[in-house]
């Protein structure tokens, strides 16, 4: 997996430093206690993210360089996520049962590995293309975990009756996304849909494109041609107002709207709303990283599962787009679709208002469920070595999400990026875009 | 869902009678005790199949005709499988906890409904197209359950230490499938592969075709165009001999070969072979409907899960075909691919040797896992009414199987038929066809 | 374990024949389907009881006599309940997954073993005391299973929506147990209590008594002295009327009345009444072996768990008696307490009215929960050999029941008999006698 | 529950302060991360213990005194353990999922409640007997939690692959318990047993005794007379050396030694040694609060379940004593049995060598499993009000432990004290004393 785009060693060092510092900044409002808890098997403690992203560089980049201390060596087992080729793993669902190493010790571990990396990036001679590729992968890997750190701590806080606040200077989405009459953006209005005609389209990242631009994951490649029927895709995401209509119309009580597995879960768990919604005193609220907040009707509905997205679409007489329909639309409308801004880097975590981006753009607000099961592109080949376990072995019983969310690193918000989660996932920043 | 192909009332009556009688004949070697047991939640007791297929006609065809007795009415709840629109269902995993109605009473119920159906088909005047469509659907539905009756009783018998024999005059597959040197049919020999070039192909059942031929399920329609890269697909199924090589090469111990979910199952359940294989005294055997039998190396390997099929393919340096690659191959090679014969009807259950069909044909031996997640074709619309719950609501977290098995009704063995099961399914007659 | 009481070989043969035939008669209203089902892990299929009681004689009495066929040998594993010394056991919770051997084959197995036993009892010369002891144990063991056959099939039928009837000529308890004003037997009336003064009492079966009378189980011995405070014990069982008051007084909603484990179960399982009670159309009914019946207010409440019995007692301001308080009362009042009659043998299953026995006697109506945890008597020694596993290894986390029920063999209804079940057991014929 | 022994307000204030400070001192080596984790549902995070013991005073003593802040009020739900009369409880098995309030906030909560308590104890006028009783109960309750804090953190550390050290200046038991030849203290030597003759003995705390001495729990009363057969009880606890013999003699593989439930657990969980034992490089080690340590053969075996203690006793041809046999022995031999010293208070946590106490005394080393199921003494009445839920509702399916451990507060180490745990409990400081 030699890197196939141009990056100077200086650029690489800068990117490394920037991402590592951003991770640390992300956690600055958390106590040691916050960093320890794991609220469900799918989520991980903050401390684990801090250590695992470091472990990645230690294991895949620095392994043969004798730069790691004995202390760090003892973490080889503790912070391996799922790389069987590297060795056994501490059970995923027990990550919250460990109090040691402490958070401070994990920061020490980060510093130790950073020092070795800086030494590599600044003092050592030329790096092999393979090593550069691994470093770039590690940087992108850590950016993915930055988003997970936010979704995991949000879930952990949500089950605490005290409803802690992660940061109150941070709004997950701007509050004034539509300053006009809701009827204006009604989906019964044809002008609120993009339309595409049938034909053979190319999707994914072509080889030449990689070379000239930047990093992509192995699952975005190779580019492939797909035949698409003509279709229409909504210009905006479904809003809380619309989803509340579905709730009040007994959408969660009508078996005909649901896939069989989804209906089974709805009944067993007695689901009645999206995960973070609560109603009290006649007021709908939702739990956010800024604590409990009044539900904003004109924001996009968030934290819905594939089952909820699919049921809503059926109720609305529409459907979810395939991942290719989404990508085609995104490529064709890139001028309109990419006016998000990268809050994580540019704004030091404080999200600024981004009126256009929040609802009307295709990317950067919420991940959007596609109707496509996560699968390899024809000709897919995983990266060689242990890091090749990264994407391929999950290509089963998961669905593709597209678009990136407010918590996604800016350089991950691209037309070809394929996120994926199981169908009952609700703790990610996931929304709904309709097609027909 | 009016039926969209020509069938006379006489033909309909004949088909109804034939299928209903075949179901009864299928069970003739079973004791009442055999008909009661449910060996796992996925399987159902024989008696339940006998009753549920009858319930279908009672509920969807005869419901408004006042032809059912009070007794039969009490079965409305007991034998509903999953039709929420019809009403609540007795819990699926508790079907084996019921001893009443007895098997004899269920046969009485069958007779009662048959009498009403014969009256409808022979004495009543013209049938509406909708009613004809429901009857045709019910006939095909019962044929599907005929196969499930065989796979379910096979599983139930397999866990009994006495290893009962369903029928010893019935061979699941002929024993002499290859009378030549195994090297002749080696997959390293290019002549054992079909090859297809890239292009846009049409798959599924087009409207005009339905009209002129016969029944198909809603999930086979509408026809759609797909873009396919060039590919090769094996002329034959993977054999026991080849799968045993995988086993002996520690295929079940090598995490790199497995999807993450599959690997998790292999480890937790300590899986080491296909479900019905056993080794004792240095001899490999497999459980069959004729009891324990010596494993035949040249028969196709059967009863493998999607995970096992996928791992084997990776071990062999190949992959599974998509469902469209399979269908394209099947349509192009129909002359070669359809020389199976319908043992269920023509042979009175006794399978005759079918040398060509058993391994070298595309259809009629074993269901073949495709790499395609089960999803709606673009433009899919479920049948109206309660029967519309049949296919659509399962389009999630299952994979498509193609080709039909030795236990499949002959008229279900067609190029467009889409069977589907979850990835860990092992008790169906499922095999492996490789692609590359 | 040589038998320590006098029994002639003729008496032994007669007892054997009588009990074996009674078991067969008990099942005469059951279909083969009924005999197969296992409605929960605690219960067993009728067929299993038929076979296991036979297995006992085959294994412990006939093992060295070469009287069992090859067929019977294959049952050695299938019908072992829990005797580790004999070998492995087929998993208890999967007994309902077996359809073979069929019920008819099991009857054949019974006949085969019976023939060998008759040969032993009638033709062979003198039997060793050890062998006599094992045969007597086997007879008593089979009588215990007779009661389980009734409670297990009752539970199995109870979950069938068709509510099958085991026998409609059989009443579990007579309907006219109290023909007088309920106030007459009110427990506020001191005359409805027996009273005993403090002192050292002897309980259990003393050695000399065994010798002169009859069989007892190892857990009834040796006799021991216990110190008892003075106490009062109710002359009769708690009635449905009284338990309904508890239900209507929100007894199932008041945590203060329940042991912590019981309260946990009540909440998780949303329990609101005894297991077989149902209310519909303003009428309380209970499921019986004669199907659904109107709840008779003056019959003793039945099928309550230890938790329910204990909570009721606390609600009533009383407590449950210890097993010794019960036994002391029973011995002192034996004249009053033993006027039950042995329906199983004398009445051919049809229970006749037994006015005095049904409520006012200490024994023979319902098992009565004591507050005593099941433990060994000081000096307890289990029987030698594999049959010694019978009682001792269950002396943990179970509670003692005393008195015998309408389904108990008459010769098991004795003052010293110790039945035992876990605290949440509800499918046995269990009632409540209060103490204070 | 007015206190029935004499205590001055000054003594009460002193005791309160002493115990509260001891709790804080106990945690001084723990990081905030350590204080958060819950390694299994039975255990609780240290922080929870710190808060719950405080909640007790807030709720039961200060409730009507308006001394608690709004902040503290929000903890009313979070830190209720199981008092239904007080209100709902946060789920016990999720205590480790909370990061807030932080450990520092919990210490603040402790200070706040302490201030209110000091005000009550030093400034307010006379206290009602009821209030004094509640304060005394709260003090004893907190001492119980001090022991749980140690056992819970020991378990939490034990599952961490880094094997953290709680304190290395603290030895759980002295290392030189027997400086002589092991044969000298062999249990085959009659001089190593106490012997008692049959008779009626009195156990429990008589009313007059309470008045003249000090606090006891409701479950120690009222005193009762019991009849005891003659028996012998070992002068010392079973050692690691002896238990290792049992292990090496395949004690964990021999079903005949085990109660049925215990055998089931041994097989399912593949148990082979006590919970904290490990063998590597031919060396036996055990996890302690001072980290992994070489197993000392002459120390008493610790952390065994009731099942393990019972199986060992059967293997040794002995049995466990009843709780009354233990108490009789303890009372008769009090001169020999009470020479432990209260390390928690006197030594500031550092355990000093106590040669006689460690093995040869009846009390103060390890809790000792009795064969007695935990039940109410005749005439038991729970304390009035919510605190009455404390002991009574657990009197079911648990077994009594006697004697106190090295982690038990000195004033809890008394002859009548009844500790209780379920039969599979292994994380407490539990050992084995044999009887016969």
């Amino acid at each position: 997996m030699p890197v196939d785009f141009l990056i100077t060693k200086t650029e690489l060092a800068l990117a490394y430093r920037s991402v590592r510092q951003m991770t640390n900044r992300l956690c600055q409002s958390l106590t040691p206690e916050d960093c320890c808890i794991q609220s469900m098997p799918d989520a991980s403690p903050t401390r684990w993210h801090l250590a695992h992203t470091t472990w990645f560089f230690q294991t895949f980049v620095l392994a043969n360089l004798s730069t790691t201390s004995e202390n760090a060596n003892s973490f080889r087992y503790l912070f391996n996520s799922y790389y069987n080729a590297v060795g056994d793993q501490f059970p995923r669902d027990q990550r919250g049962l460990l109090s040691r190493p402490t958070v401070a010790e994990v920061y020490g571990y980060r510093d130790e590995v950073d020092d070795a990396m800086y030494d590599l990036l600044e003092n050592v001679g030329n790096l092999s293309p393979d090593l550069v590729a691994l470093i770039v992968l590690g940087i992108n890997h850590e950016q993915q975990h930055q988003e997970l750190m936010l979704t995991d701590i949000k879930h952990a806080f949500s089950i605490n009756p005290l409803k802690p606040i992660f940061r109150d200077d941070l709004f997950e989405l701007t509050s004034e996304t539509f300053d006009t009459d809701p009827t204006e953006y009604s989906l019964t209005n044809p002008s609120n849909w993009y339309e595409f005609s049938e034909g053979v389209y190319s999707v994914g990242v072509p080889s030449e494109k990689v070379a000239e631009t930047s990093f992509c994951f192995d699952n975005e490649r190779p580019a492939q041609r797909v035949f698409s029927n003509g279709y229409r895709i909504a210009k905006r995401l479904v809003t809380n107002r619309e989803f509340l209509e579905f709730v009040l119309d007994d959408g969660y009580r009508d078996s005909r709207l649901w896939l069989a597995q989804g209906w089974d879960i709805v009944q067993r768990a007695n689901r009645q709303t999206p995960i973070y919604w609560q109603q009290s005193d006649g007021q709908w609220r939702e739990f956010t990283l800024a604590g409990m907040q009044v539900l904003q009707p004109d924001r996009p509905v968030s934290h819905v599962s594939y089952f909820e997205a699919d049921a809503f679409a059926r109720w609305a007489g529409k459907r979810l787009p395939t991942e290719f329909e989404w990508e085609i639309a995104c490529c064709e409308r890139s001028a309109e679709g990419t006016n998000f801004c990268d809050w994580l880097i540019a704004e030091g975590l404080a999200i600024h208002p981004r009126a256009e981006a929040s609802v009307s753009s295709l990317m950067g607000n919420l991940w959007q469920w596609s109707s496509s099961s996560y699968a390899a592109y024809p000709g897919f080949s995983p990266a060689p070595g242990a890091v090749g376990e990264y994407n391929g072995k999950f290509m089963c019983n998961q669905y593709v999400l597209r678009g990136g969310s407010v918590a996604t690193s800016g350089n991950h918000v691209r037309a070809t990026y394929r996120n994926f989660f199981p169908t009952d996932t609700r703790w990610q920043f996931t929304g709904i875009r309709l097609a027909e």
Side-chain angles (χ1 to χ4, degrees), chain A residues 344-416:
Chain A
L344 283 168
I345 290 178
E347 301 299 320
L349 289 181
I351 295 177
H352 76 141
R354 38 176 169 167
E356 302 89 349
S358 56
V359 169
S360 65
S361 70
L362 278 155
M363 292 194 282
N365 290 309
L366 292 173
W367 291 102
Q368 298 148 49
W369 288 107
S370 80
S371 65
S372 301
S373 178
Y374 180 48
Y377 284 178
F380 167 75
S381 65
V387 295
E389 294 187 53
Y390 179 63
N391 271 311
K393 74 179 181 184
F394 301 110
M395 289 176 169
C396 171
N397 295 333
Q398 310 218 35
Y399 280 74
V400 174
L401 295 126
R402 295 295 194 111
S405 82
V406 289
T408 310
S409 284
N411 61 326
H412 287 216
V413 181
R414 60 179 174 266
T416 58

Side-chain angles (χ1 to χ4, degrees), chain A residues 165-183:
Chain A
I165 290 169
F166 172 67
R167 283 183 53 167
D168 55 12
D169 61 343
L170 179 147
F171 295 92
E172 294 184 15
L173 284 175
T174 64
S175 53
E176 297 301 322
T177 52
F178 288 104
D179 51 3
T180 54
D181 183 357
T183 58

Side-chain angles (χ1 to χ4, degrees), chain A residues 103-224:
Chain A
V103 176
E105 286 166 343
V106 166
Y107 277 114
Y109 172 48
R110 287 181 70 86
D111 288 345
E112 182 185 350
V113 168
D114 280 351
D115 286 346
M117 285 295 294
Y118 294 142
D119 188 55
L120 181 72
L121 289 165
E122 288 160 14
N123 303 330
V124 177
N126 280 339
L127 303 177
S128 73
D130 279 357
L131 207 55
V132 171
L134 284 166
I135 296 169
V136 169
L137 184 61
I139 291 171
N140 280 272
H141 170 258
E142 181 146 346
Q143 288 176 308
Q144 292 181 312
H145 279 275
Q146 287 171 352
E147 177 158 3
L148 293 176
M149 289 165 80
L150 291 171
T151 55
D152 289 358
I153 199 67
K154 181 172 181 178
H155 186 267
F157 279 2
S158 77
I159 65 170
N160 189 323
L162 302 178
K163 301 294 177 199
I165 290 169
F166 172 67
R167 283 183 53 167
D168 55 12
D169 61 343
L170 179 147
F171 295 92
E172 294 184 15
L173 284 175
T174 64
S175 53
E176 297 301 322
T177 52
F178 288 104
D179 51 3
T180 54
D181 183 357
T183 58
E184 274 198 30
Y185 60 83
S186 162
L187 289 177
T188 60
N189 184 343
S191 71
N192 289 319
W193 295 81
Y194 296 121
E195 187 156 358
F196 299 91
S197 54
E198 77 169 36
V200 172
Y201 292 85
S202 179
V203 295
V205 179
S207 303
E208 66 275 14
K209 192 127 184 210
V210 174
E212 71 195 26
T213 56
S214 62
F215 173 82
C216 71
F217 283 103
D218 58 2
N219 64 7
E220 303 172 54
R221 301 167 60 182
Q224 63 167 316

Side-chain angles (χ1 to χ4, degrees), chain A residues 264-430:
Chain A
D264 190 43
I265 291 171
V266 160
Q267 297 222 285
R268 267 192 293 112
N270 191 26
R271 293 210 174 139
Q272 306 189 25
T273 65
I275 185 171
Y276 292 138
W277 286 22
Q278 285 186 8
Q279 190 187 25
S280 56
D281 313 325
Q283 176 73 60
W284 286 94
R285 290 183 176 78
E286 68 175 329
F287 183 74
T288 74
L289 285 170
M292 290 304 299
Q293 299 286 340
V294 171
L295 189 72
Q296 299 294 327
D298 293 328
R299 285 194 193 167
V301 63
S302 186
H303 295 291
V304 292
S305 71
Y306 178 82
F307 293 126
E308 290 168 320
D310 174 80
F312 177 87
R314 194 167 290 112
W315 174 81
K318 312 294 182 192
R319 62 175 176 82
L320 301 178
T322 68
E323 63 167 320
F324 302 129
E325 288 171 341
W326 189 94
E327 185 171 336
I328 291 164
C330 193
C331 292
E332 302 271 327
R333 306 292 167 156
S334 60
E336 301 166 49
T338 55
N339 54 350
F340 62 93
C341 48
D342 187 345
W343 65 278
L344 283 168
I345 290 178
E347 301 299 320
L349 289 181
I351 295 177
H352 76 141
R354 38 176 169 167
E356 302 89 349
S358 56
V359 169
S360 65
S361 70
L362 278 155
M363 292 194 282
N365 290 309
L366 292 173
W367 291 102
Q368 298 148 49
W369 288 107
S370 80
S371 65
S372 301
S373 178
Y374 180 48
Y377 284 178
F380 167 75
S381 65
V387 295
E389 294 187 53
Y390 179 63
N391 271 311
K393 74 179 181 184
F394 301 110
M395 289 176 169
C396 171
N397 295 333
Q398 310 218 35
Y399 280 74
V400 174
L401 295 126
R402 295 295 194 111
S405 82
V406 289
T408 310
S409 284
N411 61 326
H412 287 216
V413 181
R414 60 179 174 266
T416 58
Y417 194 102
R418 306 172 78 203
N419 199 354
F420 51 91
F421 277 98
T423 40
D424 194 42
T425 302
R426 313 209 298 170
W427 93 109
Q428 294 298 306
F429 290 104
T430 48

Side-chain angles (χ1 to χ4, degrees), chain A residues 8-21:
Chain A
T8 67
K9 213 172 144 195
T10 307
E11 287 167 340
L12 191 58
L14 187 66
Y16 179 84
R17 186 180 301 269
S18 163
V19 166
R20 296 286 287 175
Q21 289 175 346

